[in-house]
Amino acid sequence: MNNFLSKIKFILRKPKIIVVTGQDRAFTKEAIFKVLAPYFKVGKEILIFEVDLDSDKEAKKFKFFIKNSSLPILVATSGKEMSEISQLVQIMSSSGFLIFNFDNEESRGLRGFKNLKNLSFGFQENADFRVSDVRVNGGVNFKINYKGNIVPIWLTDPSKEQIPGVLAAISVGITLGLNFVEVAEALKNKK
């Protein structure tokens, strides 16, 4: 009964939902929270979940949330669970967003899927959010190129391997209308 009431409450509120799947999903979720928290009511108007799509129960649970959200955003940091990701993408409305790691060959197959709006991130030339000039010196700094705009990002703690999670967070922030300056400021002290 409690689960039923929770679902009714969710349908009435219709929050935006961000579902993060793939490797480093916990770090990516935390980075997304860090970007969005200064500008949105995370937990009320925007819900962020990390999901292990290897579990059928988890995949079924999130189908409901994605289908009934005012703006579903699916973030795929890797393409390991491609069949499950494809199932979630198929139920998303055309107003939804798919954000994926362009460096992962399996994930690239998601580009242009079912008329969804999509953004890619990575180190490769054709990624929408492309990283360059990575330097590790007491922190990590790099440049991001998006639509001809180049923005430097400074992080005090993460390793180079966590850059894809940071790129996913930046992509989500831009998707929700934040500008590069706001996103870079929110990430400046990311630990």
Side-chain angles (χ1 to χ4, degrees), residues 4-31:
F4 176 75
L5 292 175
S6 296
K7 286 184 176 183
I8 294 294
K9 190 175 176 181
F10 182 88
I11 290 171
L12 293 174
R13 282 190 17 224
K14 283 211 170 287
K16 295 173 177 83
I17 183 169
I18 301 165
V19 177
V20 182
T21 185
Q23 62 191 49
D24 288 333
R25 62 185 172 269
F27 174 83
T28 303
K29 177 187 173 191
E30 181 186 325

Side-chain angles (χ1 to χ4, degrees), residues 29-67:
K29 177 187 173 191
E30 181 186 325
I32 292 169
F33 177 83
K34 180 102 175 177
V35 166
L36 300 182
Y39 307 101
F40 297 99
K41 293 178 183 172
V42 178
K44 291 192 179 220
E45 59 185 12
I46 295 177
L47 304 175
I48 307 169
F49 298 98
E50 61 175 282
V51 182
D52 178 4
L53 290 178
D54 286 338
S55 163
D56 284 342
K57 186 178 178 182
E58 286 290 298
K60 285 178 186 174
K61 176 178 155 184
F62 285 95
K63 284 181 182 179
F64 169 82
F65 290 121
I66 287 172
K67 196 182 288 187

Side-chain angles (χ1 to χ4, degrees), residues 159-175:
S159 67
K160 184 177 176 181
E161 290 75 30
Q162 292 176 316
I163 290 175
V166 172
L167 291 173
I170 292 167
S171 303
V172 170
I174 300 298
T175 297

